[in-house]
Amino acid sequence: MVDKETRLIKKIKKGNHQAFKNLYDRFADYSLRTAFAITKNQSDASDIVQETFIRVYRNIDSYDMSRSFKAWFYQILINETRRYMKKKTKQARSIESDQLLDFLHQQTEEAYHFDDLYLAMDKLEENHRTVIILKYLNGFTEKDIAEVLELNVNTVKSRLFKARKQLKGMMGGASDER
C-alpha cells in the first residue's frame, strides 16, 4: 500500500491529474468522516475536505517522501479543520447530534449501533475527540497521531487515556476509582 502511494505521489508531482483523482478517491471518504466527526456539520466537513485537497495539490512538491503521506495528509486536514472551526466560532450554530449519528451510520460498514458512543463523543473536548477519531475512526497509531497533531507521543497517549476514561464514565462503564 505504501509503495502504491509512493508511485501515486511521484505521478502527482509530475503533474498527472488522474493520479491526483486516484489519491482523492482513496482519501475522500475517511477525510470527510473525520472532518464531520469534528465539526458535526456535513456542509462544513465538505468545505474542509475540499480545501484540504486544494492545499495538498498546491503543496505536493513540498511533501517529504520519507514521511508517511497519510500522516502528512491528515495533518493538513486537522489544521484546515481547526482553521475553519476558529472562523466558524464567530457565527452562532446549532447542530443536532442525530445528524452526526445518521452520517456515521451511513458511512460505516459495520452493522453495530454506536448511538451512545457517538453522543458521548460529542460531549468530549475537541482535543480529546480529535485523538479518539484519529485512533479509532482512521486507525492511526499514537506515533502517527503525534506527528499529525505535532504533539509528543506521551501527550497523545494521555489524551487517549483521558478521552477513553471520560467516554467510559459517560456510557456507564465501571469506574476504576473506588
Side-chain angles (χ1 to χ4, degrees):
M1 183 153 120
V2 173
D3 290 335
K4 192 173 184 180
E5 267 180 22
T6 302
R7 285 186 298 226
L8 206 53
I9 301 303
K10 286 180 181 178
K11 288 179 182 179
I12 294 168
K13 285 186 172 193
K14 291 179 181 178
N16 184 320
H17 296 293
Q18 183 59 42
F20 188 77
K21 183 189 179 316
N22 292 344
L23 182 78
Y24 176 86
D25 291 343
R26 182 178 232 170
F27 285 91
D29 287 342
Y30 274 112
S31 58
L32 187 60
R33 273 196 262 169
T34 300
F36 184 81
I38 295 169
T39 64
K40 298 174 228 94
N41 183 294
Q42 192 165 0
S43 177
D44 291 348
S46 294
D47 290 346
I48 290 165
V49 170
Q50 180 179 358
E51 187 61 33
T52 298
F53 276 101
I54 289 169
R55 289 183 189 271
V56 166
Y57 185 78
R58 287 181 180 160
N59 296 302
I60 196 73
D61 288 330
S62 68
Y63 166 65
D64 178 2
M65 298 289 282
S66 67
R67 283 184 65 196
S68 158
F69 178 78
K70 186 176 178 182
W72 184 74
F73 176 85
Y74 277 93
Q75 183 176 27
I76 294 170
L77 177 69
I78 295 300
N79 288 339
E80 187 58 32
T81 302
R82 286 180 175 156
R83 187 191 68 73
Y84 194 90
M85 293 291 285
K86 282 181 184 175
K87 187 172 138 184
K88 192 78 174 176
T89 54
K90 295 177 183 175
Q91 305 168 5
R93 63 183 165 103
S94 66
I95 299 300
E96 297 293 325
S97 294
D98 291 342
Q99 227 180 342
L100 171 65
L101 297 175
D102 291 344
F103 181 76
L104 289 173
H105 284 296
Q106 289 172 7
Q107 301 298 317
T108 320
E109 295 174 10
E110 299 153 13
Y112 304 108
H113 296 283
F114 294 110
D115 294 358
D116 293 340
L117 176 60
Y118 293 129
L119 289 171
M121 281 178 54
D122 194 30
K123 295 176 184 173
L124 292 175
E125 292 178 21
E126 181 194 340
N127 62 352
H128 290 139
R129 187 172 56 244
T130 301
V131 294
I132 289 288
I133 290 166
L134 290 173
K135 174 78 174 166
Y136 297 105
L137 186 63
N138 292 304
F140 278 86
T141 64
E142 285 88 354
K143 183 181 175 190
D144 290 339
I145 296 169
E147 187 176 334
V148 167
L149 298 178
E150 297 177 325
L151 297 170
N152 181 293
V153 174
N154 289 331
T155 303
V156 171
K157 288 179 181 180
S158 173
R159 287 183 184 178
L160 282 168
F161 176 79
K162 288 176 184 175
R164 285 189 296 255
K165 186 174 179 179
Q166 288 174 355
L167 286 172
K168 187 176 179 182
M170 285 185 251
M171 296 180 67
S175 175
D176 293 334
E177 300 174 33
R178 294 183 191 224

